[in-house]
């Protein structure tokens, strides 16, 4: 867990060294699946860094295909499915090249998972909608596009027919701050 959680701390201090260690940290050895899950859990409970998101593309792809039923039964610091959805939602919000055409985005939405999808939907709007003075926050965080959120809203309603997942839009339904056109 600690290797994953503090990965960025060490990664940005010695990138070549850490790149050599990544295969050991995120091992593919079936006998070490618990170590992999712990490291991945630690990584997902830390902040998202654009360079590391790109570097760990294959790890995200791998995690998307994991069956939650295969997770080791233990107490996790954070739910792995929620944390994965949160990281991908952050990527959608903050990385201009992560969009509907991204392979990770397509893969994430192609695998039926109401829990993951609901968390993505809920989280992607949360940083904007559920805060005091979101208009001011948006001025200070110009990389977050309301247009991109509106585009996601339309995309999800068109491509996601899972009612459980769509419940994630629940708190988006507030016109108090006039971020979205109430219509």
């Amino acid at each position: 867990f600690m290797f994953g959680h503090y990965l960025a701390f060490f990664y940005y201090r010695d990138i070549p060294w850490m790149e050599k260690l990544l295969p050991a940290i995120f091992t593919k050895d079936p006998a070490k699946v618990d170590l992999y899950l712990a490291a991945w859990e630690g990584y997902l409970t830390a902040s998202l860094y654009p360079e590391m998101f790109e570097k760990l593309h294959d790890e995200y792809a791998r995690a998307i295909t994991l069956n939650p039923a295969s997770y080791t039964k233990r107490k996790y610091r954070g739910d792995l499915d929620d944390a994965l959805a949160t990281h991908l939602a952050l990527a959608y919000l903050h990385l201009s090249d992560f969009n509907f055409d991204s392979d990770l985005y397509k893969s994430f939405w192609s695998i039926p998972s109401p829990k993951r999808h609901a968390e993505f939907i809920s989280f992607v709007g949360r940083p904007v909608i559920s805060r005091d003075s979101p208009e001011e926050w948006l001025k200070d965080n110009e990389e977050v596009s309301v247009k991109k959120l509106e585009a996601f809203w339309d995309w999800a309603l068109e491509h996601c027919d899972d009612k459980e997942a769509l419940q994630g839009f629940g708190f988006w339904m507030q016109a108090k701050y006039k971020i979205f056109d109430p219509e």
Side-chain angles (χ1 to χ4, degrees), residues 2 9 24 42 48 63-64 68 81 87 89 100 116 132 142 145-146 155-156 172:
M2 300 302 277
F9 179 82
L48 176 75
I64 288 168
D81 289 335
H87 260 230
F100 305 134
R116 283 180 180 175
D132 292 332
E142 294 175 357
S145 165
V146 172
W155 181 93
W172 287 52

Side-chain angles (χ1 to χ4, degrees), residues 64-81:
I64 288 168
T65 64
L66 288 177
N67 179 352
S70 71
Y71 298 160
T72 303
K73 302 296 182 228
R74 66 173 173 83
K75 183 178 178 182
Y76 288 87
R77 180 165 188 249
D79 182 280
L80 291 177
D81 289 335

Side-chain angles (χ1 to χ4, degrees), residues 69-135:
S70 71
Y71 298 160
T72 303
K73 302 296 182 228
R74 66 173 173 83
K75 183 178 178 182
Y76 288 87
R77 180 165 188 249
D79 182 280
L80 291 177
D81 289 335
D82 289 354
L84 174 63
T86 297
H87 260 230
L88 294 175
L90 285 168
Y92 180 80
L93 278 174
H94 294 281
L95 306 180
S96 60
D97 58 344
F98 188 80
N99 54 47
F100 305 134
D101 296 325
S102 301
D103 63 331
L104 289 176
Y105 184 92
K106 289 178 183 178
S107 178
F108 178 79
W109 286 97
S110 71
I111 297 172
S113 180
K115 184 178 186 307
R116 283 180 180 175
H117 296 163
E119 180 60 23
F120 184 102
I121 290 170
S122 176
F123 186 86
V124 78
R126 196 174 309 149
V128 177
I129 299 162
S130 66
R131 66 177 54 249
D132 292 332
S133 304
E135 305 98 328

Side-chain angles (χ1 to χ4, degrees), residues 8 43 83 109 126 162-163:
Y43 173 74
W109 286 97
R126 196 174 309 149
D162 187 315
K163 291 176 184 162

